[in-house]
Amino acid sequence: MKIRKSNIWKILVSATCIAIEPSRALAYDRDVHYYVIAMILADLDRTGSPMVEKKLLAAMSNQYVDDNPNTLPSLNPTKAQQRRNWHFPAKMDEGWLVNSYGVTRRNSEFAKHNVNKGLQANDPYALGMALHTYLDSFAHEGYEAYFGHAAAGHNPDRVHLDINKFREAVWMSYSIIKQWYINNGIQINPSPIAIDKYLEWARFVPPAYTCTLCSYNDEINQRSDYWFSLVNLDFPEIRLPKYAITEQCYIDNFEAVASKYQTPVRSEDAWAIEWYTANLDNIFKTTAYLTDDLVKASAENCPTPADPSSPFHGLNRKQAAALALDEPDTLYDGLPAVLDTRAGISALFKAANQREKGWEILYMSASSAHNRGVDWSRFKGQIRSNLTANKLERRLFAAGTLSILNDTAASTCKKINKIYAKVDPAGLTGGQISFLVNTISTSPTYIAQCATESLPLLKTLLNDVRVSGLAAARLYQIAAAEEISAGTVSTASLSSSQGNAATGIRLQSREALNSTHPAGQSRVLSQAAKTSMDSEIEYWSARALQDFNDTQKGTEDDQNTLAELERRLQAALGGKNLSLASGIASAIGTFASADQPSDSLLSLLTLAAANPEYKEIASELEYALYQLGQSN
């Protein structure tokens, strides 16, 4: 049987029969992980090369990371390592005072590691998986694996809320896929889609985003349909099918590769070059044209399993609450009927109070359910009652959950601010202070109306080496938050809070940090740990110098900021601190040629991008030059 190449994407999707649950997509969603990546894969190779089936496998495995039970971002605290490995690539420090998970950074050495492994293996499954983790380093920047981005809801995954970050992610993805094709002797399209075209497309706001009665799934579907139409409009010859939603048949290869997938725990173990270059004698040989057997294994022939019984079937409220807190994945899609009442919520509160991390689990469960349109709002009254509870964790659960629900009533804000104003960080355990920082919302609505005390608290925590890096990241996220819906957000209030947050970390330096551990703790940090946390502050301080107001070009403030970034980049490169230099280059990349960069800055970027010593961040430096109008 001869198969037309134009139909091969469609046949492969039906043949592979990937099993997914659309409500479980929790990063840049399938609009980016499948459709945008498919567009880049098609755009860079218009030669009709025999890699067409490999392209599809790469795009499919990229998205399937969010859907496979062994790789999706599970809510279970015992699976935080799974979240770090696949979705929040960062360091992991065993025995750390607070928790062992570092803060995610875009284009970090941890994010790049598996990309290089995938390029070296020349395996479309491995590369697709690695691209997922790499893209998540952008979407999840500033968050850590244990709590994820609960404090921000689904905003980090919405392309239209940070189009500049998305543009950079697309640029870097082009550089990765370009290297894959070069490694395989594929001729690169010399006139790909202009990167700013993606910026234009990314401005699309799905109607469901501003629809109060719509679910997050409605929004994902609208975004996916939008990108699906763009791909097939620009590349009608590939006839890209929609991402398959069927029962699993052919996922053995994916799981075999996934079982070997590891994100390093230490920076020095990460493979951070940009990017792995293959020897010409290692060019991939296409081995598979589809056989009749594969064609017959279509979606219609996949077995349909019986729906499993609910794990809550036959349980009373007390038993169900205990199961929900001990196995939090059971709450992934919302409350079961036995707990979906006021009495059920009370049972959950009681069970949470009896467990060491019960309130943390309940907070993450409420956030995850809310993100997928499961309505906890009808229980606001019960949640508010915890704002004045004796137990701090109970108060933090209430403050964090109410901010997720956008409860910005004056009385609620007053009580939340009272919690943050009265808390004494020095007297908190590591677990408490981590929970504290991770419940501070980065939602624009909350920032504009309820951030009176949370911003000063975060600034204070910059001097607490246990969470200084996380506090700095949170301030950066607040400064960078965007709100484009009509909504009820006060633009003036939001702008004031954002400016306050940016100023809070821009001037921070190593000298500003305390050199000892806060009072009340018996253990003193090692010098290496202090240096690590100092570096975190320095990174986010540099990122806070980005151009937050890019509608005004070439202002005196722009000139001064670019001069400061140039000084910091020169120092970072001279000190071989490439992780910091990457962050500085990313901040420079938010400016444009109209901001009138100095000749010395352009020269510094040009020379550094061509210097083999800085190969690890070459693409980031080239991106900054592109943004400043110096490259194509």
Side-chain angles (χ1 to χ4, degrees):
M1 175 180 178
K2 186 176 181 180
I3 301 171
R4 293 176 54 193
K5 285 187 179 294
S6 60
N7 290 327
I8 204 163
W9 288 63
K10 181 176 182 180
I11 296 172
L12 266 168
V13 170
S14 60
T16 306
C17 297
I18 298 293
I20 71 167
E21 298 175 58
S23 66
R24 287 180 177 258
L26 284 182
Y28 271 151
D29 294 297
R30 63 178 178 271
D31 53 343
V32 176
H33 285 307
Y34 179 63
Y35 295 107
V36 173
I37 290 300
M39 180 177 282
I40 297 173
L41 286 162
D43 186 28
L44 281 174
D45 173 21
R46 303 200 185 194
T47 64
S49 75
M51 283 190 68
V52 61
E53 56 264 52
K54 310 305 173 193
K55 298 176 188 177
L56 178 63
L57 289 173
M60 291 170 68
S61 59
N62 188 320
Q63 170 55 33
Y64 191 46
V65 169
D66 269 340
D67 304 313
N68 186 283
N70 298 316
T71 59
L72 61 78
S74 167
L75 278 175
N76 195 322
T78 64
K79 295 183 179 180
Q81 170 59 13
Q82 179 171 310
R83 292 195 293 276
R84 188 197 74 88
N85 197 41
W86 296 95
H87 307 277
F88 295 85
K91 67 180 180 180
M92 190 171 84
D93 296 324
E94 296 290 350
W96 181 244
L97 286 169
V98 179
N99 60 52
S100 57
Y101 302 103
V103 180
T104 305
R105 299 180 184 180
R106 71 178 74 179
N107 193 41
S108 70
E109 61 270 35
F110 301 98
K112 290 189 281 190
H113 175 83
N114 281 303
V115 172
N116 286 309
K117 286 284 189 180
L119 289 170
Q120 182 187 43
N122 217 354
D123 183 289
Y125 292 95
L127 184 60
M129 296 173 194
L131 277 167
H132 183 107
T133 305
Y134 183 79
L135 287 166
D136 276 5
S137 78
F138 285 81
H140 296 163
E141 182 178 44
Y143 298 97
E144 47 87 37
Y146 187 84
F147 284 96
H149 52 74
H154 245 297
N155 282 348
D157 305 326
R158 291 177 163 116
V159 169
H160 63 273
L161 289 184
D162 199 333
I163 57 177
N164 289 313
K165 179 170 69 175
F166 171 70
R167 174 170 56 184
E168 185 178 347
V170 168
W171 168 279
M172 298 302 289
S173 297
Y174 262 94
S175 73
I176 293 167
I177 294 168
K178 180 179 179 180
Q179 188 63 59
W180 186 33
Y181 287 171
I182 291 174
N183 287 353
N184 288 284
I186 302 301
Q187 182 180 345
I188 303 299
N189 173 22
S191 302
I193 298 170
I195 205 73
D196 285 344
K197 191 68 176 176
Y198 285 90
L199 197 67
E200 175 188 327
W201 290 331
R203 297 181 190 279
F204 170 72
V205 181
Y209 175 68
T210 55
C211 166
T212 56
L213 298 179
C214 299
S215 70
Y216 186 66
N217 276 339
D218 294 330
E219 185 183 331
I220 294 176
N221 289 335
Q222 290 172 2
R223 285 170 14 207
S224 297
D225 288 346
Y226 173 74
W227 283 99
F228 170 73
S229 64
L230 289 176
V231 175
N232 283 297
L233 180 65
D234 274 53
F235 306 101
E237 68 277 7
I238 68 172
R239 301 185 184 180
L240 179 71
K242 288 194 173 184
Y243 184 59
I245 305 177
T246 57
E247 180 53 28
Q248 57 183 340
C249 295
Y250 288 91
I251 61 173
D252 290 347
N253 287 343
F254 177 95
E255 293 189 338
V257 175
S259 67
K260 302 175 184 177
Y261 189 96
Q262 290 294 328
T263 297
V265 300
R266 302 186 308 170
S267 178
E268 54 265 40
D269 294 332
W271 196 2
I273 63 171
E274 295 177 354
W275 302 102
Y276 171 81
T277 303
N279 297 323
L280 292 180
D281 60 358
N282 190 33
I283 292 178
F284 183 81
K285 307 297 183 185
T286 301
T287 58
Y289 285 94
L290 294 179
T291 65
D292 289 349
D293 288 340
L294 281 176
V295 174
K296 291 175 182 177
S298 62
E300 303 86 71
N301 295 328
C302 294
T304 302
D307 292 333
S309 299
S310 166
F312 296 97
H313 181 72
L315 301 184
N316 60 35
R317 281 194 296 269
K318 182 178 179 180
Q319 293 169 329
L323 175 62
L325 271 297
D326 293 336
E327 299 290 339
D329 283 349
T330 57
L331 287 182
Y332 201 96
D333 291 313
L335 295 168
V338 68
L339 296 177
D340 197 13
T341 63
R342 291 181 61 85
I345 291 296
S346 294
L348 275 175
F349 288 170
K350 186 174 181 179
N353 216 37
Q354 295 170 345
R355 286 160 175 77
E356 182 182 0
K357 294 185 177 294
W359 293 106
E360 293 180 6
I361 293 170
L362 204 55
Y363 164 68
M364 290 187 283
S365 298
S367 169
S368 180
H370 178 73
N371 287 343
R372 286 181 310 286
V374 180
D375 187 15
W376 280 53
S377 297
R378 59 193 182 282
F379 303 121
K380 278 183 182 179
Q382 286 176 277
I383 297 171
R384 286 192 195 108
S385 68
N386 291 284
L387 288 171
T388 55
N390 290 329
K391 192 172 185 177
L392 175 63
E393 289 84 353
R394 193 164 186 163
R395 300 198 300 274
L396 294 178
F397 153 77
T401 303
L402 290 170
S403 64
I404 289 168
L405 297 176
N406 280 329
D407 182 358
T408 54
S411 58
T412 301
C413 289
K414 183 177 180 179
K415 291 178 180 178
I416 291 176
N417 280 317
K418 188 175 180 180
I419 293 171
Y420 294 141
K422 289 194 171 185
V423 70
D424 176 17
L428 301 184
T429 65
Q432 287 175 324
I433 200 167
S434 177
F435 193 17
L436 169 68
V437 178
N438 278 287
T439 54
I440 294 178
S441 177
T442 56
S443 159
T445 303
Y446 175 84
I447 294 166
Q449 301 182 29
C450 288
T452 307
E453 297 296 338
S454 58
L455 290 179
L457 174 60
L458 286 171
K459 291 179 182 179
T460 298
L461 292 174
L462 289 173
N463 293 319
D464 189 321
V465 290
R466 296 175 296 174
V467 288
S468 58
L470 187 57
R474 195 62 96 236
L475 283 168
Y476 167 77
Q477 290 161 334
I478 291 172
E482 295 185 34
E483 176 58 55
I484 63 173
S485 65
T488 58
V489 172
S490 165
T491 304
S493 298
L494 179 59
S495 178
S496 174
S497 296
Q498 289 177 313
N500 193 4
T503 302
I505 53 173
R506 277 186 172 184
L507 301 180
Q508 288 293 322
S509 65
R510 294 184 181 185
E511 290 74 23
L513 295 174
N514 289 342
S515 60
T516 58
H517 198 270
Q521 300 292 330
S522 59
R523 181 177 174 184
V524 178
L525 291 179
S526 68
Q527 187 57 48
K530 293 174 188 173
T531 301
S532 174
M533 296 309 287
D534 290 355
S535 179
E536 289 280 319
I537 286 282
E538 198 167 4
Y539 177 87
W540 294 110
S541 173
R543 290 301 308 281
L545 290 167
Q546 74 178 56
D547 188 8
F548 292 109
N549 184 10
D550 59 4
T551 59
Q552 299 178 20
K553 299 296 183 183
T555 65
E556 183 178 354
D557 183 61
D558 289 333
Q559 302 295 304
N560 293 336
T561 302
L562 281 171
E564 173 63 13
L565 285 167
E566 179 182 353
R567 182 191 69 77
R568 294 194 185 200
L569 180 60
Q570 182 78 65
L573 292 173
K576 300 295 189 295
N577 189 341
L578 299 190
S579 179
L580 175 59
S582 175
I584 296 170
S586 182
I588 294 172
T590 62
F591 291 84
S593 58
D595 291 313
Q596 303 170 22
S598 67
D599 290 341
S600 59
L601 173 59
L602 296 176
S603 177
L604 175 62
L605 288 167
T606 302
L607 292 173
N611 191 332
E613 288 188 78
Y614 309 135
K615 181 174 174 56
E616 289 185 19
I617 60 169
S619 296
E620 197 75 65
L621 294 166
E622 290 168 359
Y623 175 74
L625 281 167
Y626 168 81
Q627 287 295 95
L628 298 179
Q630 298 299 303
S631 66
N632 296 319

